[in-house]
């Protein structure tokens, strides 16, 4: 589970459900798990599933199941590609096993139970308690979903990791399974009574809680939408000669929008390594990724192969290769850098590195807007970084006070007390004070204000995972080196 997940992944008021947490709970966790939910397959969300002793059913999307069963760790897949080992090593393949019956193989067990998007499924918990679970696209990476859980104790929305950009939120407003939890626009709200949990008296109901992706909670600036980021990149790439070779540093799942934009704009396929092709060809919800990618490195000038085991067309020592790296930066910074780079390219200057600010998590402005369309009774962070000692959680009552139902801030403090953060829950923390405490405890932790220098401009490196953000300086002509492909 992500670092510092409250309630060790359990989601009150349904503590029998555990999300993205599969390892043995710490001492003192007295809740028995009757339903495991997996939101996506980034490494920090599948801790415990690699253990051969894990034997409970896990609900996930069909694509997440396909990706997990085929997943290979970086050293193993490189060793296989370089023929240093003869067989693929798939650490999570044991979640589906086969037994030999005579001369035929029969399915022995399959712990991964796929759930279709926007198709409610009923699950039995302990006793007679039954919940209805609906999986909804999370706009984070292939196979990622959020979960709407409905039952006798009300409804909960667990976002997993998500990018709540404006277009995504507008689509959510039209989702029929979320409709009764979404408030009307303020200027169109003429109700005389607020929403209630009692469906027999009211058409609309308040969510008991949103378990929110808080990976970039401390980022207070607006970041470019995915379309704005990829469109800006394509405009710059189009200024190079038609013989220019590009290495696109797709180091983890979630940057596939870059591949789609490049393929569409230039009308060609993208070369990817064996492992990416295996995963892309297995995806049911996004078949385009298989169509636009190829394992033939000589058929295209656009490459997204293994960054530490690149093909002969884009060797690391080739100074003619242009590198494309994902970063995180504010809209204003992106606009200034993009225009400056455009001027340099039009003047004939050789620019060896390009960036694309494609964020896979939402910063605070997007999170506030997302929560405000529901106005839940409380917000629970999916991540509480130990480095901040609870200061990040303590900011939530202020950050989301106007986005929650009345009494929401007090309920957030109750959650903090239940998770051992009473020192913060009993103090009304001003937002500026919370930020200063976070800043003082974040040495070595990259935030929106920790720069990465590229051609004289500052950016935030797209990180391995939100709990392991490390700044680094990019040298011209060198790819950014975030950590391995399995993560965030």
């Amino acid at each position: 589970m992500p670092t510092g997940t409250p309630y060790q992944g359990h989601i009150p008021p349904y503590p029998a459900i555990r999300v993205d947490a599969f390892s043995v709970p710490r001492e003192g966790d007295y809740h028995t798990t009757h339903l495991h939910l997996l939101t996506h397959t980034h490494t920090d969300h599948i801790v415990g599933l690699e253990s051969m002793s894990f034997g409970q059913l896990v609900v996930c999307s069909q694509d997440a199941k396909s990706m997990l069963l085929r997943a290979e760790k970086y050293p193993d897949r490189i060793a296989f590609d370089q023929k240093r080992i003869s067989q693929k090593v798939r650490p999570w393949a044991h979640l589906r096993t086969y037994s030999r019956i005579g001369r035929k193989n029969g399915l022995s067990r399959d712990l991964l139970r796929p759930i279709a998007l926007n198709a409610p499924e009923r699950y039995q918990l302990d006793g007679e308690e039954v919940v209805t679970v609906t999986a909804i696209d999370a706009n984070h990476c292939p196979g990622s979903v959020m979960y709407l859980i409905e039952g006798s104790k009300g409804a909960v929305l667990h976002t997993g990791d998500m990018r709540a950009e404006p277009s995504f939120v507008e689509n959510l407003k039209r989702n029929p399974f979320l409709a009764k939890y979404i408030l009307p626009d303020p200027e169109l709200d003429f109700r005389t009574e607020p929403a209630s949990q009692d469906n027999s008296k009211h058409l609309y109901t308040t969510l008991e809680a949103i378990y929110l992706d808080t990976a970039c909670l401390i980022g207070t600036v607006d970041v470019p939408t995915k379309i704005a980021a990829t469109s800006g990149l394509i405009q710059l790439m189009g200024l190079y000669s038609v013989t220019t070779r590009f290495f696109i540093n797709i180091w983890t799942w979630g940057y596939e929008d870059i591949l789609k934009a490049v393929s569409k704009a230039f009308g060609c396929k993208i070369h990817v390594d064996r492992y990416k092709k295996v995963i892309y060809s297995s995806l049911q919800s996004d078949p385009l990724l298989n169509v636009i990618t190829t394992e033939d490195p000589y058929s295209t000038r656009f490459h997204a192969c293994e960054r530490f085991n690149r093909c002969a067309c884009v060797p690391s020592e080739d100074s003619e290769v242009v590198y494309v790296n994902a970063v995180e930066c504010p809209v204003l910074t992106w606009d200034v850098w993009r225009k400056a780079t455009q001027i340099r390219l039009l003047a004939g200057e050789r620019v060896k590195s390009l960036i694309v600010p494609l964020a896979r998590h939402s910063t605070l402005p997007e999170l506030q807007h997302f929560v405000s369309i529901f106005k839940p009774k409380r917000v629970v962070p999916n991540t509480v970084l130990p480095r901040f000692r609870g200061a990040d959680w303590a900011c939530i009552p202020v950050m989301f006070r106007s986005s929650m139902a009345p009494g929401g801030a007090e309920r957030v403090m109750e959650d903090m007390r239940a998770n051992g953060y009473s020192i913060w829950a009993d103090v009304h923390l001003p937002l500026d004070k919370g930020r200063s405490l976070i800043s003082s405890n974040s040495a070595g932790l990259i935030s929106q204000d920790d720069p990465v220098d590229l051609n004289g401009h500052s950016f935030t490196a797209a990180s391995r995972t939100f709990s392991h953000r490390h700044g680094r300086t990019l040298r011209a002509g060198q790819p950014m080196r975030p950590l391995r492909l399995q993560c965030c």
Side-chain angles (χ1 to χ4, degrees), residues 300-312:
T300 180
R301 61 193 180 98
F302 301 97
H303 300 263
C305 41
E306 292 275 11
R307 68 184 187 278
F308 297 136
N309 188 34
R310 297 204 287 274
C311 66

Side-chain angles (χ1 to χ4, degrees), residues 268-286:
C268 62
K269 293 189 175 185
I270 315 294
H271 170 239
V272 296
D273 52 83
R274 171 197 62 83
Y275 178 58
K276 289 192 188 75
K277 188 63 173 176
V278 166
I279 296 299
Y280 291 158
S281 63
S282 74
L283 300 178
Q284 294 186 8
S285 65
D286 199 347

Side-chain angles (χ1 to χ4, degrees), residues 207-391:
L207 289 172
E208 290 296 317
I210 292 181
Y211 285 78
L212 187 66
D213 174 14
T214 50
C216 295
L217 177 71
I218 308 305
T220 59
V221 297
D222 290 310
V223 295
T225 65
K226 291 184 177 182
I227 291 179
T230 55
S231 297
L233 171 67
I234 295 302
Q235 290 173 355
L236 295 178
M237 294 176 71
L239 298 177
Y240 288 83
S241 73
V242 294
T243 60
T244 302
R245 288 165 292 137
F246 293 89
F247 177 73
I248 306 168
N249 191 14
I250 304 295
W251 59 276
T252 186
W253 312 126
Y255 293 119
E256 285 72 23
D257 288 275
I258 303 173
L259 303 183
K260 294 177 185 177
V262 170
S263 177
K264 185 174 184 178
F266 295 98
C268 62
K269 293 189 175 185
I270 315 294
H271 170 239
V272 296
D273 52 83
R274 171 197 62 83
Y275 178 58
K276 289 192 188 75
K277 188 63 173 176
V278 166
I279 296 299
Y280 291 158
S281 63
S282 74
L283 300 178
Q284 294 186 8
S285 65
D286 199 347
L288 181 62
L289 286 172
N290 186 40
V291 173
I292 66 173
T293 54
T294 177
E295 289 186 76
D296 181 4
Y298 299 101
S299 64
T300 180
R301 61 193 180 98
F302 301 97
H303 300 263
C305 41
E306 292 275 11
R307 68 184 187 278
F308 297 136
N309 188 34
R310 297 204 287 274
C311 66
C313 296
V314 285
S316 57
E317 63 274 9
D318 192 337
S319 61
E320 298 301 310
V321 175
V322 175
Y323 295 95
V324 178
N325 294 292
V327 301
E328 299 171 4
C329 71
V331 170
L332 180 59
T333 303
W334 165 239
D335 289 341
V336 171
W337 185 89
R338 179 176 53 82
K339 291 175 182 178
T341 303
Q342 183 179 41
I343 292 173
R344 295 171 60 200
L345 289 169
L346 290 172
E349 184 177 344
R350 177 71 175 174
V351 179
K352 298 181 179 180
S353 296
L354 297 177
I355 57 101
V356 52
L358 196 146
R360 297 165 299 126
H361 298 272
S362 287
T363 55
L364 181 60
E366 288 184 354
L367 293 176
Q368 288 173 321
H369 176 57
F370 170 80
V371 173
S372 69
I373 72 171
F374 297 99
K375 281 195 173 292
K377 293 184 179 180
R378 72 187 201 274
V379 170
V380 183
N382 286 345
T383 301
V384 180
L385 297 181
R387 183 185 300 272
F388 294 156
R389 302 176 184 177

Side-chain angles (χ1 to χ4, degrees), residues 110-184:
D110 190 350
L111 299 180
L112 301 177
R113 298 298 172 90
I115 182 173
L117 293 178
N118 302 307
E121 295 277 356
R122 289 169 60 85
Y123 297 94
Q124 181 83 37
L125 301 182
D126 53 328
E128 298 181 354
E129 188 170 21
V130 176
V131 294
T132 300
V133 177
T134 307
I136 301 166
D137 178 63
N139 193 35
H140 177 66
C141 71
S144 65
V145 295
M146 59 178 69
Y147 289 106
L148 174 66
I149 299 108
E150 301 169 290
S152 60
K153 300 173 183 175
V156 169
L157 182 63
H158 194 294
T159 69
D161 285 358
M162 70 162 185
R163 173 70 196 279
E165 56 188 330
S167 60
F168 174 75
V169 174
E170 288 304 310
N171 286 334
L172 287 184
K173 289 181 179 179
R174 295 188 290 272
N175 186 298
F177 302 102
L178 291 175
K180 68 179 181 179
Y181 305 107
I182 295 177
L183 298 176

